[in-house]
């Protein structure tokens, strides 16, 4: 930029110029007059009388060509790309956090406490296998008995005993894992009662 | 195999080799886990209990509160303390499902537990929370729910009270007691003793090798019963208000004298009986469809 050589002199001269204030209402009068002219038919007719000019074809071709050329704005592009990347990352983190919270929220932390006491019990000892040899003997004899095979209940009784044998084993397995309690003993007693009924029926046909 | 446990009179009849020992002091160690989950409609509670007593009931808060008490009993305190930690548990929310589960994990190199181990769940849920429960060897008590209850149990004593909506129960070797049930109930039970009373809604029951006692309220809309090897007792203050379609094969039927059942058709199989009854002078009535095989069926009037 070229600097003014007599800057001080010029500044003094400008400050020495007289100042004038426009009369009150002047600007309002001008605005009103312009509005009236714009809305008047004479103003519209003057606009209609203005000449029209059609640009030559090469002007539009040049404009189209210019529009099709890629616009190079490296500084803005870098800034924009960086900003969008960061914004996308933030949004991704927020979305992932929300999704993770929604999908895998495992609830609040569990509170864990311990207690101990002493109880007195009357233990009993039971041999669960005491009657098994007898039951096996009866069921095997029934299975091989020609008389039993003639009975309509033959398959049903064998099937029932097999089911009950498996249930009995399930209870014993659970006792092995978790120890015995009155409910499991009751389950076992119910099963043994049913097994006894079946074995008694089988015994009639051997 | 000789096992030690505590006096329970009923098994004395069946198990002959019993001997009493002197009174023993047992150390009872318990571990209580408490956790809460936020709840919104669409969430579901899934419980998988093993050797567990599970109690579920509703409350008026929009959250699920869980308390699980694990316990170990053994004469030696250190043994009970050590083996208590072998009960593992899961209590977490994944997507819209809250999972509660316990199982036993014996550390490698250790023998099976010498202690008596048990889990006890106490759960409070909003009444519209669907509950799915799988139980093996335990007891289940569910009350005051109004959406969906599904149970799959083995060796489990089930108690339901004041349940509305859809109820689906599969039980093997257990007991089922339900009262104040209103909705659609489906039961598939084997070797299970069932008692149902104070009923409304529709019922589809399949039972094998058990007992079934139904106190049919006038509000029962529909009953379909398929049973084999089951002792059934259906009681109602006025059974003549219901329509009956009974098909019985090799079964004993006991019916009220005042109800005139008609034989639908003669069967080639003399062991099969088909009986029909329709209420007199009524346009609308509930239908009871009953198919029994090798069973005892008794219909009686509750006076």
């Amino acid at each position: 930029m070229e600097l003014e050589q007599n800057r001080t002199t010029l500044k003094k001269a400008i400050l020495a110029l007289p100042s004038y204030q426009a009369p009150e209402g002047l600007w309002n009068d001008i605005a009103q007059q312009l509005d009236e002219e714009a809305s008047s038919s004479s103003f519209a007719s003057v606009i209609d009388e203005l000449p029209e000019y059609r640009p030559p074809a090469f002007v539009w071709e040049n404009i189209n060509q210019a529009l099709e050329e890629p616009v190079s704005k490296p500084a803005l592009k870098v800034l924009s790309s960086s900003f969008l990347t960061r914004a996308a990352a933030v949004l991704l983190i927020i979305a992932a956090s929300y999704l993770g919270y929604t999908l895998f929220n495992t609830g609040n932390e569990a509170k864990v406490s311990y207690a101990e006491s002493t109880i007195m019990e009357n233990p009993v000892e039971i041999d669960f296998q005491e009657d098994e040899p007898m039951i096996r003997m009866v069921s095997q004899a029934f299975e091989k008995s020609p008389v039993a095979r003639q009975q309509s209940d033959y398959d049903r009784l064998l099937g029932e005993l097999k089911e009950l044998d498996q249930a009995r084993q399930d209870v014993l397995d659970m006792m092995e894992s978790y120890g015995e309690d009155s409910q499991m003993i009751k389950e076992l007693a119910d099963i043994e009662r049913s097994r006894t009924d079946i074995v008694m029926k089988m015994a009639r046909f051997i | 195999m000789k096992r030690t446990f505590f006096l329970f009179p009923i098994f004395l009849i069946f198990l002959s080799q019993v001997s009493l020992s002197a009174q023993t002091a047992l150390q009872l160690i318990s571990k209580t886990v408490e956790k809460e989950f936020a709840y919104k409609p669409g969430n579901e509670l899934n419980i998988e209990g093993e050797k567990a007593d599970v109690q579920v009931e509703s409350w008026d808060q929009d959250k699920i509160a869980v308390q699980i008490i694990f316990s170990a009993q053994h004469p030696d305190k250190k043994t009970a303390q050590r083996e208590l930690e072998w009960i593992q548990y899961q209590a977490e929310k994944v997507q819209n499902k809250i999972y509660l589960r316990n199982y036993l994990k014996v550390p490698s190199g250790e023998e099976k537990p010498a202690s008596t181990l048990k889990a006890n769940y106490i759960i409070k849920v909003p009444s519209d929370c669907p509950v799915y429960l799988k139980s093996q060897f335990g007891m289940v008590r569910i009350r005051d729910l109004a959406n969906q209850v599904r149970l799959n149990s083995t060796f489990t004593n089930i108690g339901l009270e004041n349940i509305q909506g859809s109820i689906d129960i599969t039980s093997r070797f257990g007991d089922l007691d339900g009262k104040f049930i209103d909705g659609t109930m489906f039961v598939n039970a084997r070797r299970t003793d069932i008692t149902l009373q104070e009923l409304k809604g529709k019922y589809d029951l399949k039972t094998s090798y058990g007992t079934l006692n139904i106190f049919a309220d006038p509000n029962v809309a529909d009953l379909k019963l398929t049973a084999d090897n089951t002792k059934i007792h259906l009681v109602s203050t006025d059974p003549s208000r219901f329509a009956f379609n009974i098909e019985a094969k090799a079964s004993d039927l006991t019916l009220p004298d005042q109800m005139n059942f008609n034989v639908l058709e003669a069967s080639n199989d003399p062991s099969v009986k088909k009986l029909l009854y329709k209420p007199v002078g009524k346009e609308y009535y509930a239908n009871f469809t009953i198919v029994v095989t090798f069973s005892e069926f008794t219909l009686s009037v509750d006076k």
Side-chain angles (χ1 to χ4, degrees):
Chain A
M1 182 184 288
E2 191 175 338
L3 294 175
E4 175 60 49
Q5 291 181 351
N6 300 309
R7 186 168 184 274
T8 308
T9 306
L10 180 60
K11 194 173 179 182
K12 284 180 182 177
I14 291 170
L15 290 173
L17 287 171
S19 62
Y20 296 96
Q21 187 78 27
E24 192 175 355
L26 175 65
W27 295 113
N28 288 338
D29 292 342
I30 292 170
Q32 188 177 356
Q33 188 178 345
L34 286 171
D35 288 341
E36 285 172 2
E37 286 178 0
S39 61
S40 67
S41 59
S42 60
F43 186 74
S45 63
V46 168
I47 289 175
D48 290 339
E49 288 171 10
L50 286 173
E52 281 185 11
Y53 294 99
R54 189 174 295 275
F58 71 88
V59 172
W60 295 114
E61 287 173 7
N62 288 342
I63 290 172
N64 284 335
Q65 193 175 354
L67 286 172
E68 285 168 9
E69 284 177 5
V71 179
S72 171
K73 293 181 181 176
L76 182 59
K77 190 175 182 182
V78 169
L79 179 66
S80 176
S81 172
S82 171
F83 175 77
L84 287 174
T85 304
R86 288 178 186 180
V90 170
L91 285 173
L92 192 64
I93 290 167
I94 291 169
S97 302
Y98 177 76
L99 196 66
Y101 178 80
T102 306
L103 297 184
F104 303 105
N105 173 28
T106 58
N108 61 349
E109 287 299 312
K111 285 196 296 181
V112 180
S113 58
Y114 289 85
E116 58 184 69
S117 61
T118 303
I119 54 175
M120 302 301 291
E121 292 285 358
N122 287 311
V124 258
E125 290 187 348
I126 296 177
D127 187 348
F128 292 112
Q129 305 296 344
E130 174 74 9
D131 299 323
E132 284 310 292
M134 185 67 74
I135 291 174
R136 286 299 116 212
M137 188 194 77
V138 171
S139 64
Q140 286 171 6
F142 176 80
E143 199 169 356
K144 292 173 184 170
S145 165
V147 178
R149 287 175 186 273
Q150 300 299 317
Q151 303 303 312
S152 58
D153 285 351
Y154 178 78
D155 290 332
R156 188 172 65 86
L157 288 172
L158 285 174
E160 273 195 61
L161 186 63
K162 188 177 177 184
E163 182 190 18
L164 290 167
D165 286 347
Q166 183 58 54
R168 177 178 180 277
Q169 193 56 51
D170 289 347
V171 176
L172 292 175
D173 289 347
M174 190 57 74
M175 283 180 169
E176 282 283 300
S177 296
Y178 282 89
E180 303 88 358
D181 63 16
S182 59
Q183 189 192 348
M184 299 180 89
I185 302 306
K186 183 179 178 301
E187 297 286 359
L188 199 57
D190 288 344
I191 292 168
E192 294 294 13
R193 190 186 297 118
S194 300
R195 289 175 87 220
T196 302
D197 289 345
I198 293 168
V199 170
M200 294 294 283
K201 287 177 185 171
M202 287 178 165
R204 285 186 222 140
F205 303 108
I206 59 177
Chain B
M1 178 176 61
K2 188 167 279 191
R3 306 286 296 180
T4 301
F5 50 96
F6 302 97
L7 193 60
F8 192 74
I10 192 166
F11 62 77
L12 295 178
I13 303 165
F14 307 99
L15 305 168
S16 57
Q17 190 71 16
V18 178
S19 63
L20 297 173
S21 301
Q23 201 172 46
T24 304
L26 292 174
Q27 304 302 315
L28 172 62
I29 309 296
S30 65
K31 173 185 177 181
T32 302
V33 176
E34 293 173 286
K35 195 167 182 177
E36 287 187 350
F37 298 91
Y39 174 82
K40 61 181 180 181
N43 287 170
E44 179 183 305
L45 178 62
N46 282 256
I47 308 162
E48 194 169 332
E50 187 175 88
K51 191 74 191 325
D53 291 352
V54 181
Q55 179 183 323
V56 182
E57 63 181 38
S58 67
W59 67 350
D60 59 358
Q61 297 190 39
D62 284 336
K63 58 185 176 181
I64 294 173
V66 178
Q67 183 186 56
I68 315 173
I69 303 165
F70 302 107
S71 64
Q73 288 181 39
H74 193 272
D76 177 52
K77 185 176 170 181
K78 286 186 178 174
T79 301
Q81 285 174 327
R82 188 179 73 254
E83 294 179 352
L84 177 64
E85 300 303 331
W86 296 355
I87 308 178
Q88 305 290 303
Y89 74 94
Q90 178 188 18
E92 60 187 29
K93 185 174 184 181
V94 179
Q95 295 183 330
N96 65 331
K97 292 183 172 64
I98 293 109
Y99 290 100
L100 306 175
R101 179 186 173 216
N102 73 281
Y103 56 99
L104 189 65
K105 188 176 180 183
V106 178
S108 60
E110 294 276 5
E111 296 286 326
K112 285 195 171 180
S115 307
T116 299
L117 306 173
K118 190 165 186 150
N120 193 348
Y121 292 74
I122 300 168
I123 303 164
K124 294 183 186 300
V125 300
S127 63
D128 66 338
C129 178
V131 174
Y132 174 61
L133 201 155
K134 191 174 178 184
S135 170
Q136 190 179 13
F137 292 93
M139 186 171 69
V140 172
R141 294 284 177 270
I142 301 178
R143 57 182 297 169
D144 303 328
L145 294 186
N147 191 341
Q148 187 179 46
V149 174
R150 286 181 293 152
L151 296 179
N152 191 332
S153 69
T154 309
F155 296 105
T156 298
N157 180 318
I158 303 166
L160 304 176
E161 184 174 343
N162 190 27
I163 309 293
Q164 298 170 31
S166 171
I167 303 152
D168 189 336
I169 296 172
T170 301
S171 169
R172 179 175 164 268
F173 288 98
D175 295 306
L176 166 61
D177 290 300
K179 60 182 177 180
F180 298 106
I181 308 293
D182 182 2
T184 302
M185 186 180 204
F186 177 78
V187 175
N188 191 342
R190 184 170 178 86
R191 297 194 183 276
T192 299
D193 294 334
I194 303 171
T195 302
L196 300 173
Q197 53 190 317
E198 302 291 345
L199 307 176
K200 293 180 182 177
K202 297 183 176 180
Y203 296 81
D204 187 348
L205 314 174
K206 291 184 175 69
T207 69
S208 294
Y209 296 99
T211 63
L212 173 61
N213 294 301
I214 305 177
F215 297 86
D217 193 91
N219 292 312
V220 172
D222 193 50
L223 172 67
K224 186 179 177 187
L225 168 61
T226 308
D228 71 88
N229 296 280
T230 302
K231 190 173 182 180
I232 304 153
H233 193 182
L234 177 57
V235 184
S236 173
T237 52
D238 183 11
S240 65
R241 71 170 63 230
F242 305 120
F244 286 88
N245 188 345
I246 301 173
E247 181 175 325
K249 178 178 172 62
S251 299
D252 296 329
L253 303 180
T254 306
L255 304 171
D257 293 335
Q258 62 269 37
M259 292 173 68
N260 294 318
F261 282 83
N262 296 321
V263 178
L264 264 182
E265 59 186 68
S267 170
N268 293 331
D269 186 347
S271 68
V272 176
K273 296 175 186 172
K274 293 189 177 183
L275 302 165
L276 179 68
Y277 175 85
K278 283 189 179 178
V280 179
K282 289 188 176 178
E283 191 174 356
Y284 301 103
Y285 43 79
N287 286 299
F288 284 17
T289 305
I290 294 161
V291 179
V292 290
T293 308
F294 299 113
S295 298
E296 291 177 31
F297 177 77
T298 302
L299 175 62
S300 64
V301 181
D302 184 18
K303 295 175 181 174

